[in-house]
Amino acid sequence: MLTDSLVLGAAEHAQLNTGDIFFQLIVFIILLALLKKFAWGPLMGIMKQREELISSEITAAENSRLEATKLLEEQRNLLKEARTDAQHLMENARKQGDVQRDEIISAARTEAERIKEAAKLEIEQQKEQAVAAIREQVASLSVLIASKVIEKELSAEDQDKLINEYIQEAGEER
Amino acid sequence: MHHEAPIVKFMGLYFNLANILMITIASAIVFLIAVLATRKLALKPTGMQNFFEWVLDFVRGIINSTMDWKEGGRFHILGITLLMYIFVSNMLGLPFSIVYDEKLWWKSPTADPIITLTLAVMVVGLSHYYGIKLQGGKGYAKGFFSPMGFLFPLKVIEEFANTLTLGLRLYGNIYAGELLLTLLAGGLAHTSIIGMIAAVPLTMVWQGFSIFVGSIQAYIFTMLTMVYMSHKVSHDH
């Protein structure tokens, strides 16, 4: 029984199954067309779409990377500029401060000089006044002292004599 | 153990109804799987879509390994369909076979030389068609005399040999696989209890091997299809 099965019974049906040939061909072509329309076509479409999406995404990423680099460069430049500006401003402020300080110091010095001068002048005046007052007082004092001395030593006789003399003198002068 | 085929004569043509049935079933399965897998397409693929995209890429790889994509792109759909159809056909006969009234109804359609030769002739015929279409009649005719004129008879024989080997290789592999399965499950298992026990692991091993052979044969058929196409289509051959 087993050996029977090993013999290929190809010669058993003598006729060629021509119908199978046509059926297989037609079915395969139909299958091809149907699969193209309903399965492989859409699948290929979506794969193509993904390919395009990926390529456009890559382009977009490249673009944004370039833009980011540009912006970064710009920002860096701006920062550098700002830093230089700030340095300039500080430098200017310092310079101005120096100038102002010098000005203030010199103004103060002049003012001080002026005040000193005025004070000196006043002192001088005061001194002169004081000297004048002292001189006046000395004169009146000496007169007083003289009159006291004279009053003490002059006798009545001498007084008369002196008065006369003055009178005489006064007459002659006229 | 030899079963007859249910043959019917219709309009002067002989039809093996088992083949008709199995061709239809195989085609329907391929179509259903493909359509169900690609019904919900998304840019971010999931599940079956991943698998079929892999199949597409696999066939694309086969084509790219034999010819330029500019010429080979048109065979992409043919290649995928051949691969899927032959693979499913090869698998159909493996799990069981149905014999009714001494006639074999359920088997692999590719276990019949008529079917495999039909596919082979179709492929070789297409290669000639595309050879003339893409190379022009002159370029196509020149193909038979290159690289040297005296090779012309060999070239003509080659065309028939290609067709025959392409079809019979597939048929032989699948038919042998099914025959051995029939012997194991239908012959050995019926002899005695011991025979039945012995048949179980052998059948399992052979079924596993047949899955491997069926996949390899589907791949080889598609690969050779593309090789023959490229011989006719490419300029440098």
Side-chain angles (χ1 to χ4, degrees):
Chain A
M1 203 172 173
L2 273 174
T3 43
D4 284 353
S5 315
L6 286 171
V7 181
L8 296 179
E12 200 158 306
H13 41 270
Q15 80 282 10
L16 188 66
N17 295 335
T18 37
D20 290 4
I21 296 175
F22 290 111
F23 188 76
Q24 171 65 77
L25 256 183
I26 289 164
V27 166
F28 189 78
I29 289 165
I30 291 172
L31 180 68
L32 202 64
L34 283 178
L35 283 181
K36 184 178 179 178
K37 182 153 171 50
F38 292 110
W40 308 148
L43 192 60
M44 281 172 180
I46 205 106
M47 284 172 87
K48 183 116 197 149
Q49 212 174 315
R50 182 183 311 134
E51 225 166 78
E52 276 160 16
L53 181 78
I54 288 170
S55 83
S56 75
E57 288 292 302
I58 287 174
T59 320
E62 190 71 25
N63 280 348
S64 52
R65 198 181 62 83
L66 281 179
E67 196 156 329
T69 322
K70 216 176 73 184
L71 276 177
L72 182 69
E73 198 58 39
E74 226 165 77
Q75 290 303 316
R76 202 171 276 160
N77 280 347
L78 274 177
L79 190 66
K80 206 188 272 180
E81 217 167 280
R83 200 167 281 160
T84 342
D85 272 5
Q87 217 148 11
H88 269 298
L89 276 176
M90 249 156 70
E91 200 73 33
N92 278 355
R94 190 174 295 146
K95 242 180 246 171
Q96 204 167 350
D98 279 353
V99 170
Q100 215 152 2
R101 192 188 64 195
D102 286 352
E103 251 169 40
I104 287 170
I105 287 174
S106 70
R109 199 163 279 158
T110 338
E111 183 72 8
E113 205 69 33
R114 198 183 59 77
I115 288 171
K116 210 167 88 184
E117 213 59 41
K120 220 182 257 176
L121 211 68
E122 203 166 342
I123 288 167
E124 205 68 34
Q125 260 173 0
Q126 294 282 356
K127 202 171 89 185
E128 255 162 50
Q129 266 177 12
V131 167
I134 286 170
R135 205 171 275 155
E136 216 166 278
Q137 219 145 9
V138 166
S140 67
L141 266 179
S142 54
V143 169
L144 198 68
I145 292 166
S147 68
K148 285 260 166 82
V149 170
I150 290 168
E151 207 173 301
K152 207 190 245 179
E153 295 202 349
L154 218 55
S155 59
E157 244 176 89
D158 290 338
Q159 223 170 346
D160 283 341
K161 199 179 161 190
L162 209 61
I163 291 165
N164 286 337
E165 261 170 36
Y166 277 132
I167 293 169
Q168 228 170 346
E169 261 169 39
E172 271 169 23
E173 263 175 39
R174 214 181 292 164
Chain B
M1 277 304 103
H2 185 77
H3 306 295
E4 287 172 34
I7 290 170
V8 167
K9 195 179 176 197
F10 178 68
M11 283 166 63
L13 300 171
Y14 290 97
F15 289 90
N16 182 345
L17 288 183
N19 278 346
I20 307 287
L21 175 73
M22 294 316 294
I23 289 167
T24 316
I25 289 174
S27 304
I29 288 175
V30 171
F31 181 72
L32 278 180
I33 290 177
V35 167
L36 286 181
T38 56
R39 207 175 38 165
K40 269 184 270 165
L41 288 173
L43 278 177
K44 222 167 130 188
T46 48
M48 286 296 279
Q49 193 190 338
N50 266 327
F51 173 70
F52 273 93
E53 290 195 1
W54 173 78
V55 172
L56 249 73
D57 277 336
F58 181 69
V59 175
R60 195 201 306 271
I62 292 176
I63 294 174
N64 273 332
S65 68
T66 54
M67 62 188 126
D68 204 36
W69 185 251
K70 192 158 61 69
E71 286 141 358
R74 72 191 78 223
F75 307 128
H76 198 186
I77 285 176
L78 174 72
I80 309 161
T81 313
L82 267 178
L83 186 73
M84 289 295 296
Y85 177 70
I86 293 174
F87 176 74
V88 170
S89 298
N90 292 349
M91 293 303 119
L92 278 184
L94 291 185
F96 50 82
S97 71
I98 296 175
V99 179
Y100 178 74
D101 199 15
E102 278 301 301
K103 289 186 168 66
L104 179 63
W105 283 95
W106 187 282
K107 63 193 191 74
S108 285
T110 41
D112 190 312
I114 297 288
I115 305 298
T116 57
L117 281 173
T118 304
L119 290 174
V121 169
M122 180 189 77
V123 161
V124 174
L126 273 178
S127 77
H128 286 275
Y129 168 73
Y130 279 108
I132 294 172
K133 191 182 172 190
L134 294 181
Q135 300 253 57
K138 217 171 150 191
Y140 167 76
K142 219 194 254 171
F144 283 98
F145 295 98
S146 66
M148 267 165 243
F150 68 85
L151 287 176
F152 174 67
L154 282 180
K155 284 270 181 179
V156 174
I157 293 171
E158 188 197 7
E159 293 304 321
F160 291 100
N162 280 349
T163 317
L164 268 178
T165 53
L166 185 62
L168 291 182
R169 178 186 303 109
L170 178 58
Y171 156 69
N173 275 286
I174 304 308
Y175 183 69
E178 293 208 346
L179 191 67
L180 194 52
L181 275 182
T182 314
L183 285 176
L184 286 171
L188 186 60
H190 282 217
T191 49
S192 65
I193 292 286
I194 299 168
M196 195 184 277
I197 293 168
V200 171
L202 286 175
T203 309
M204 278 167 64
V205 167
W206 188 249
Q207 275 181 328
F209 185 64
S210 288
I211 290 173
F212 173 69
V213 168
S215 319
I216 289 291
Q217 286 305 317
Y219 166 69
I220 288 176
F221 196 96
T222 315
M223 183 73 183
L224 286 176
T225 299
M226 294 311 158
V227 169
Y228 297 154
M229 290 286 187
S230 77
H231 281 173
K232 290 276 171 284
V233 160
S234 292
H235 293 278
D236 46 32
H237 280 286

PDB file of all heavy atoms in Angstrom, chain B residues 61-89:
ATOM      1  N   GLY B  61      13.615  45.014  -2.315  1.00  0.00           N
ATOM      2  CA  GLY B  61      15.004  44.563  -2.196  1.00  0.00           C
ATOM      3  C   GLY B  61      15.345  43.518  -3.245  1.00  0.00           C
ATOM      4  O   GLY B  61      16.418  43.563  -3.853  1.00  0.00           O
ATOM      5  N   ILE B  62      14.410  42.580  -3.460  1.00  0.00           N
ATOM      6  CA  ILE B  62      14.637  41.543  -4.479  1.00  0.00           C
ATOM      7  C   ILE B  62      14.839  42.201  -5.842  1.00  0.00           C
ATOM      8  O   ILE B  62      15.774  41.876  -6.591  1.00  0.00           O
ATOM      9  CB  ILE B  62      13.433  40.571  -4.540  1.00  0.00           C
ATOM     10  CG1 ILE B  62      13.350  39.754  -3.256  1.00  0.00           C
ATOM     11  CG2 ILE B  62      13.547  39.647  -5.741  1.00  0.00           C
ATOM     12  CD1 ILE B  62      12.136  38.839  -3.201  1.00  0.00           C
ATOM     13  N   ILE B  63      13.945  43.155  -6.163  1.00  0.00           N
ATOM     14  CA  ILE B  63      14.025  43.796  -7.481  1.00  0.00           C
ATOM     15  C   ILE B  63      15.313  44.604  -7.598  1.00  0.00           C
ATOM     16  O   ILE B  63      16.021  44.544  -8.601  1.00  0.00           O
ATOM     17  CB  ILE B  63      12.792  44.692  -7.713  1.00  0.00           C
ATOM     18  CG1 ILE B  63      11.536  43.824  -7.790  1.00  0.00           C
ATOM     19  CG2 ILE B  63      12.943  45.507  -8.977  1.00  0.00           C
ATOM     20  CD1 ILE B  63      10.258  44.607  -7.860  1.00  0.00           C
ATOM     21  N   ASN B  64      15.632  45.339  -6.522  1.00  0.00           N
ATOM     22  CA  ASN B  64      16.840  46.168  -6.577  1.00  0.00           C
ATOM     23  C   ASN B  64      18.104  45.335  -6.713  1.00  0.00           C
ATOM     24  O   ASN B  64      19.102  45.817  -7.246  1.00  0.00           O
ATOM     25  CB  ASN B  64      16.923  47.029  -5.310  1.00  0.00           C
ATOM     26  CG  ASN B  64      16.154  48.317  -5.469  1.00  0.00           C
ATOM     27  OD1 ASN B  64      16.015  48.818  -6.579  1.00  0.00           O
ATOM     28  ND2 ASN B  64      15.646  48.841  -4.381  1.00  0.00           N
ATOM     29  N   SER B  65      18.062  44.091  -6.222  1.00  0.00           N
ATOM     30  CA  SER B  65      19.266  43.268  -6.316  1.00  0.00           C
ATOM     31  C   SER B  65      19.466  42.725  -7.730  1.00  0.00           C
ATOM     32  O   SER B  65      20.538  42.226  -8.053  1.00  0.00           O
ATOM     33  CB  SER B  65      19.183  42.102  -5.327  1.00  0.00           C
ATOM     34  OG  SER B  65      18.186  41.207  -5.728  1.00  0.00           O
ATOM     35  N   THR B  66      18.427  42.807  -8.573  1.00  0.00           N
ATOM     36  CA  THR B  66      18.583  42.260  -9.918  1.00  0.00           C
ATOM     37  C   THR B  66      18.602  43.333 -10.991  1.00  0.00           C
ATOM     38  O   THR B  66      19.200  43.128 -12.033  1.00  0.00           O
ATOM     39  CB  THR B  66      17.446  41.277 -10.250  1.00  0.00           C
ATOM     40  OG1 THR B  66      16.204  41.933 -10.033  1.00  0.00           O
ATOM     41  CG2 THR B  66      17.506  40.042  -9.386  1.00  0.00           C
ATOM     42  N   MET B  67      17.924  44.443 -10.768  1.00  0.00           N
ATOM     43  CA  MET B  67      17.916  45.469 -11.824  1.00  0.00           C
ATOM     44  C   MET B  67      17.693  46.852 -11.227  1.00  0.00           C
ATOM     45  O   MET B  67      17.449  47.005 -10.041  1.00  0.00           O
ATOM     46  CB  MET B  67      16.832  45.162 -12.860  1.00  0.00           C
ATOM     47  CG  MET B  67      15.425  45.161 -12.309  1.00  0.00           C
ATOM     48  SD  MET B  67      14.238  44.574 -13.507  1.00  0.00           S
ATOM     49  CE  MET B  67      13.433  43.272 -12.598  1.00  0.00           C
ATOM     50  N   ASP B  68      17.797  47.826 -12.128  1.00  0.00           N
ATOM     51  CA  ASP B  68      17.605  49.210 -11.743  1.00  0.00           C
ATOM     52  C   ASP B  68      16.151  49.441 -11.366  1.00  0.00           C
ATOM     53  O   ASP B  68      15.252  48.874 -11.982  1.00  0.00           O
ATOM     54  CB  ASP B  68      17.973  50.089 -12.949  1.00  0.00           C
ATOM     55  CG  ASP B  68      18.355  51.472 -12.500  1.00  0.00           C
ATOM     56  OD1 ASP B  68      18.977  51.570 -11.434  1.00  0.00           O
ATOM     57  OD2 ASP B  68      18.034  52.442 -13.202  1.00  0.00           O
ATOM     58  N   TRP B  69      15.918  50.296 -10.339  1.00  0.00           N
ATOM     59  CA  TRP B  69      14.546  50.529  -9.910  1.00  0.00           C
ATOM     60  C   TRP B  69      13.743  51.256 -10.981  1.00  0.00           C
ATOM     61  O   TRP B  69      12.520  51.135 -11.064  1.00  0.00           O
ATOM     62  CB  TRP B  69      14.532  51.328  -8.598  1.00  0.00           C
ATOM     63  CG  TRP B  69      13.150  51.481  -8.055  1.00  0.00           C
ATOM     64  CD1 TRP B  69      12.408  52.623  -8.010  1.00  0.00           C
ATOM     65  CD2 TRP B  69      12.328  50.446  -7.499  1.00  0.00           C
ATOM     66  NE1 TRP B  69      11.185  52.359  -7.460  1.00  0.00           N
ATOM     67  CE2 TRP B  69      11.105  51.039  -7.139  1.00  0.00           C
ATOM     68  CE3 TRP B  69      12.521  49.085  -7.280  1.00  0.00           C
ATOM     69  CZ2 TRP B  69      10.075  50.305  -6.578  1.00  0.00           C
ATOM     70  CZ3 TRP B  69      11.488  48.362  -6.714  1.00  0.00           C
ATOM     71  CH2 TRP B  69      10.286  48.973  -6.379  1.00  0.00           C
ATOM     72  N   LYS B  70      14.432  52.004 -11.840  1.00  0.00           N
ATOM     73  CA  LYS B  70      13.755  52.733 -12.917  1.00  0.00           C
ATOM     74  C   LYS B  70      13.009  51.757 -13.827  1.00  0.00           C
ATOM     75  O   LYS B  70      11.904  52.031 -14.286  1.00  0.00           O
ATOM     76  CB  LYS B  70      14.819  53.488 -13.722  1.00  0.00           C
ATOM     77  CG  LYS B  70      14.263  54.517 -14.690  1.00  0.00           C
ATOM     78  CD  LYS B  70      15.330  55.546 -15.030  1.00  0.00           C
ATOM     79  CE  LYS B  70      16.549  54.933 -15.692  1.00  0.00           C
ATOM     80  NZ  LYS B  70      16.288  54.431 -17.043  1.00  0.00           N
ATOM     81  N   GLU B  71      13.630  50.605 -14.073  1.00  0.00           N
ATOM     82  CA  GLU B  71      12.965  49.598 -14.895  1.00  0.00           C
ATOM     83  C   GLU B  71      12.181  48.609 -14.051  1.00  0.00           C
ATOM     84  O   GLU B  71      11.133  48.117 -14.464  1.00  0.00           O
ATOM     85  CB  GLU B  71      14.009  48.827 -15.728  1.00  0.00           C
ATOM     86  CG  GLU B  71      14.556  49.632 -16.870  1.00  0.00           C
ATOM     87  CD  GLU B  71      16.047  49.400 -17.061  1.00  0.00           C
ATOM     88  OE1 GLU B  71      16.624  48.642 -16.278  1.00  0.00           O
ATOM     89  OE2 GLU B  71      16.606  50.004 -17.984  1.00  0.00           O
ATOM     90  N   GLY B  72      12.702  48.324 -12.860  1.00  0.00           N
ATOM     91  CA  GLY B  72      12.107  47.265 -12.056  1.00  0.00           C
ATOM     92  C   GLY B  72      10.889  47.705 -11.262  1.00  0.00           C
ATOM     93  O   GLY B  72      10.114  46.872 -10.806  1.00  0.00           O
ATOM     94  N   GLY B  73      10.703  49.031 -11.117  1.00  0.00           N
ATOM     95  CA  GLY B  73       9.594  49.510 -10.302  1.00  0.00           C
ATOM     96  C   GLY B  73       8.246  49.013 -10.775  1.00  0.00           C
ATOM     97  O   GLY B  73       7.349  48.732  -9.982  1.00  0.00           O
ATOM     98  N   ARG B  74       8.110  48.810 -12.105  1.00  0.00           N
ATOM     99  CA  ARG B  74       6.823  48.366 -12.654  1.00  0.00           C
ATOM    100  C   ARG B  74       6.502  46.932 -12.257  1.00  0.00           C
ATOM    101  O   ARG B  74       5.359  46.504 -12.374  1.00  0.00           O
ATOM    102  CB  ARG B  74       6.854  48.524 -14.172  1.00  0.00           C
ATOM    103  CG  ARG B  74       7.737  47.506 -14.853  1.00  0.00           C
ATOM    104  CD  ARG B  74       7.940  47.876 -16.295  1.00  0.00           C
ATOM    105  NE  ARG B  74       8.925  48.958 -16.440  1.00  0.00           N
ATOM    106  CZ  ARG B  74       8.773  49.982 -17.244  1.00  0.00           C
ATOM    107  NH1 ARG B  74       7.678  50.086 -17.941  1.00  0.00           N
ATOM    108  NH2 ARG B  74       9.704  50.897 -17.339  1.00  0.00           N
ATOM    109  N   PHE B  75       7.502  46.158 -11.834  1.00  0.00           N
ATOM    110  CA  PHE B  75       7.249  44.767 -11.457  1.00  0.00           C
ATOM    111  C   PHE B  75       6.990  44.604  -9.962  1.00  0.00           C
ATOM    112  O   PHE B  75       6.840  43.487  -9.484  1.00  0.00           O
ATOM    113  CB  PHE B  75       8.439  43.885 -11.845  1.00  0.00           C
ATOM    114  CG  PHE B  75       8.829  44.016 -13.280  1.00  0.00           C
ATOM    115  CD1 PHE B  75      10.135  44.286 -13.644  1.00  0.00           C
ATOM    116  CD2 PHE B  75       7.871  43.876 -14.276  1.00  0.00           C
ATOM    117  CE1 PHE B  75      10.482  44.425 -14.972  1.00  0.00           C
ATOM    118  CE2 PHE B  75       8.217  44.005 -15.602  1.00  0.00           C
ATOM    119  CZ  PHE B  75       9.517  44.276 -15.957  1.00  0.00           C
ATOM    120  N   HIS B  76       6.969  45.741  -9.242  1.00  0.00           N
ATOM    121  CA  HIS B  76       6.833  45.678  -7.793  1.00  0.00           C
ATOM    122  C   HIS B  76       5.546  44.963  -7.381  1.00  0.00           C
ATOM    123  O   HIS B  76       5.561  44.010  -6.604  1.00  0.00           O
ATOM    124  CB  HIS B  76       6.861  47.103  -7.237  1.00  0.00           C
ATOM    125  CG  HIS B  76       7.167  47.151  -5.778  1.00  0.00           C
ATOM    126  ND1 HIS B  76       7.121  48.313  -5.061  1.00  0.00           N
ATOM    127  CD2 HIS B  76       7.517  46.177  -4.906  1.00  0.00           C
ATOM    128  CE1 HIS B  76       7.431  48.049  -3.815  1.00  0.00           C
ATOM    129  NE2 HIS B  76       7.686  46.769  -3.684  1.00  0.00           N
ATOM    130  N   ILE B  77       4.427  45.418  -7.969  1.00  0.00           N
ATOM    131  CA  ILE B  77       3.132  44.850  -7.583  1.00  0.00           C
ATOM    132  C   ILE B  77       3.040  43.393  -8.003  1.00  0.00           C
ATOM    133  O   ILE B  77       2.560  42.542  -7.238  1.00  0.00           O
ATOM    134  CB  ILE B  77       2.010  45.706  -8.192  1.00  0.00           C
ATOM    135  CG1 ILE B  77       1.895  47.008  -7.396  1.00  0.00           C
ATOM    136  CG2 ILE B  77       0.687  44.951  -8.205  1.00  0.00           C
ATOM    137  CD1 ILE B  77       0.920  47.975  -7.936  1.00  0.00           C
ATOM    138  N   LEU B  78       3.558  43.078  -9.202  1.00  0.00           N
ATOM    139  CA  LEU B  78       3.584  41.679  -9.653  1.00  0.00           C
ATOM    140  C   LEU B  78       4.368  40.825  -8.661  1.00  0.00           C
ATOM    141  O   LEU B  78       3.926  39.732  -8.271  1.00  0.00           O
ATOM    142  CB  LEU B  78       4.228  41.610 -11.041  1.00  0.00           C
ATOM    143  CG  LEU B  78       4.456  40.195 -11.580  1.00  0.00           C
ATOM    144  CD1 LEU B  78       3.139  39.565 -11.972  1.00  0.00           C
ATOM    145  CD2 LEU B  78       5.420  40.204 -12.753  1.00  0.00           C
ATOM    146  N   GLY B  79       5.509  41.353  -8.231  1.00  0.00           N
ATOM    147  CA  GLY B  79       6.356  40.598  -7.311  1.00  0.00           C
ATOM    148  C   GLY B  79       5.664  40.333  -5.983  1.00  0.00           C
ATOM    149  O   GLY B  79       5.679  39.207  -5.477  1.00  0.00           O
ATOM    150  N   ILE B  80       5.043  41.389  -5.407  1.00  0.00           N
ATOM    151  CA  ILE B  80       4.373  41.200  -4.107  1.00  0.00           C
ATOM    152  C   ILE B  80       3.249  40.184  -4.243  1.00  0.00           C
ATOM    153  O   ILE B  80       3.078  39.292  -3.400  1.00  0.00           O
ATOM    154  CB  ILE B  80       3.784  42.521  -3.597  1.00  0.00           C
ATOM    155  CG1 ILE B  80       4.810  43.638  -3.626  1.00  0.00           C
ATOM    156  CG2 ILE B  80       3.269  42.363  -2.186  1.00  0.00           C
ATOM    157  CD1 ILE B  80       4.173  44.996  -3.572  1.00  0.00           C
ATOM    158  N   THR B  81       2.463  40.322  -5.327  1.00  0.00           N
ATOM    159  CA  THR B  81       1.318  39.427  -5.497  1.00  0.00           C
ATOM    160  C   THR B  81       1.777  37.988  -5.694  1.00  0.00           C
ATOM    161  O   THR B  81       1.225  37.061  -5.096  1.00  0.00           O
ATOM    162  CB  THR B  81       0.472  39.889  -6.694  1.00  0.00           C
ATOM    163  OG1 THR B  81       0.268  41.295  -6.591  1.00  0.00           O
ATOM    164  CG2 THR B  81      -0.869  39.194  -6.721  1.00  0.00           C
ATOM    165  N   LEU B  82       2.820  37.792  -6.507  1.00  0.00           N
ATOM    166  CA  LEU B  82       3.356  36.440  -6.704  1.00  0.00           C
ATOM    167  C   LEU B  82       3.811  35.844  -5.378  1.00  0.00           C
ATOM    168  O   LEU B  82       3.459  34.714  -5.034  1.00  0.00           O
ATOM    169  CB  LEU B  82       4.549  36.489  -7.665  1.00  0.00           C
ATOM    170  CG  LEU B  82       4.286  36.275  -9.148  1.00  0.00           C
ATOM    171  CD1 LEU B  82       5.592  36.406  -9.919  1.00  0.00           C
ATOM    172  CD2 LEU B  82       3.664  34.916  -9.399  1.00  0.00           C
ATOM    173  N   LEU B  83       4.570  36.632  -4.649  1.00  0.00           N
ATOM    174  CA  LEU B  83       5.110  36.150  -3.373  1.00  0.00           C
ATOM    175  C   LEU B  83       3.987  35.730  -2.437  1.00  0.00           C
ATOM    176  O   LEU B  83       3.988  34.617  -1.895  1.00  0.00           O
ATOM    177  CB  LEU B  83       5.955  37.257  -2.732  1.00  0.00           C
ATOM    178  CG  LEU B  83       6.721  36.892  -1.467  1.00  0.00           C
ATOM    179  CD1 LEU B  83       7.898  36.015  -1.807  1.00  0.00           C
ATOM    180  CD2 LEU B  83       7.202  38.131  -0.744  1.00  0.00           C
ATOM    181  N   MET B  84       3.003  36.612  -2.282  1.00  0.00           N
ATOM    182  CA  MET B  84       1.904  36.335  -1.352  1.00  0.00           C
ATOM    183  C   MET B  84       1.079  35.146  -1.828  1.00  0.00           C
ATOM    184  O   MET B  84       0.736  34.252  -1.050  1.00  0.00           O
ATOM    185  CB  MET B  84       0.991  37.559  -1.222  1.00  0.00           C
ATOM    186  CG  MET B  84       1.585  38.720  -0.476  1.00  0.00           C
ATOM    187  SD  MET B  84       1.874  38.309   1.245  1.00  0.00           S
ATOM    188  CE  MET B  84       0.205  38.045   1.810  1.00  0.00           C
ATOM    189  N   TYR B  85       0.768  35.131  -3.115  1.00  0.00           N
ATOM    190  CA  TYR B  85      -0.105  34.080  -3.652  1.00  0.00           C
ATOM    191  C   TYR B  85       0.566  32.717  -3.546  1.00  0.00           C
ATOM    192  O   TYR B  85      -0.050  31.737  -3.093  1.00  0.00           O
ATOM    193  CB  TYR B  85      -0.457  34.395  -5.111  1.00  0.00           C
ATOM    194  CG  TYR B  85      -1.292  33.324  -5.756  1.00  0.00           C
ATOM    195  CD1 TYR B  85      -2.608  33.133  -5.361  1.00  0.00           C
ATOM    196  CD2 TYR B  85      -0.764  32.496  -6.734  1.00  0.00           C
ATOM    197  CE1 TYR B  85      -3.376  32.139  -5.931  1.00  0.00           C
ATOM    198  CE2 TYR B  85      -1.525  31.502  -7.307  1.00  0.00           C
ATOM    199  CZ  TYR B  85      -2.835  31.331  -6.905  1.00  0.00           C
ATOM    200  OH  TYR B  85      -3.598  30.341  -7.466  1.00  0.00           O
ATOM    201  N   ILE B  86       1.826  32.641  -3.923  1.00  0.00           N
ATOM    202  CA  ILE B  86       2.515  31.344  -3.883  1.00  0.00           C
ATOM    203  C   ILE B  86       2.725  30.896  -2.443  1.00  0.00           C
ATOM    204  O   ILE B  86       2.549  29.725  -2.106  1.00  0.00           O
ATOM    205  CB  ILE B  86       3.844  31.426  -4.653  1.00  0.00           C
ATOM    206  CG1 ILE B  86       3.538  31.637  -6.133  1.00  0.00           C
ATOM    207  CG2 ILE B  86       4.663  30.161  -4.472  1.00  0.00           C
ATOM    208  CD1 ILE B  86       4.749  31.887  -6.976  1.00  0.00           C
ATOM    209  N   PHE B  87       3.047  31.859  -1.567  1.00  0.00           N
ATOM    210  CA  PHE B  87       3.248  31.494  -0.165  1.00  0.00           C
ATOM    211  C   PHE B  87       1.958  30.931   0.428  1.00  0.00           C
ATOM    212  O   PHE B  87       1.954  29.854   1.036  1.00  0.00           O
ATOM    213  CB  PHE B  87       3.707  32.718   0.629  1.00  0.00           C
ATOM    214  CG  PHE B  87       3.842  32.458   2.097  1.00  0.00           C
ATOM    215  CD1 PHE B  87       4.912  31.721   2.577  1.00  0.00           C
ATOM    216  CD2 PHE B  87       2.897  32.925   2.990  1.00  0.00           C
ATOM    217  CE1 PHE B  87       5.034  31.463   3.933  1.00  0.00           C
ATOM    218  CE2 PHE B  87       3.009  32.672   4.336  1.00  0.00           C
ATOM    219  CZ  PHE B  87       4.081  31.933   4.813  1.00  0.00           C
ATOM    220  N   VAL B  88       0.859  31.649   0.218  1.00  0.00           N
ATOM    221  CA  VAL B  88      -0.419  31.177   0.770  1.00  0.00           C
ATOM    222  C   VAL B  88      -0.788  29.837   0.150  1.00  0.00           C
ATOM    223  O   VAL B  88      -1.237  28.909   0.845  1.00  0.00           O
ATOM    224  CB  VAL B  88      -1.514  32.229   0.539  1.00  0.00           C
ATOM    225  CG1 VAL B  88      -2.891  31.658   0.869  1.00  0.00           C
ATOM    226  CG2 VAL B  88      -1.259  33.451   1.386  1.00  0.00           C
ATOM    227  N   SER B  89      -0.586  29.678  -1.164  1.00  0.00           N
ATOM    228  CA  SER B  89      -0.888  28.415  -1.839  1.00  0.00           C
ATOM    229  C   SER B  89      -0.083  27.273  -1.230  1.00  0.00           C
ATOM    230  O   SER B  89      -0.610  26.194  -0.957  1.00  0.00           O
ATOM    231  CB  SER B  89      -0.562  28.521  -3.321  1.00  0.00           C
ATOM    232  OG  SER B  89      -1.345  29.510  -3.913  1.00  0.00           O
TER     233      SER B  89
END
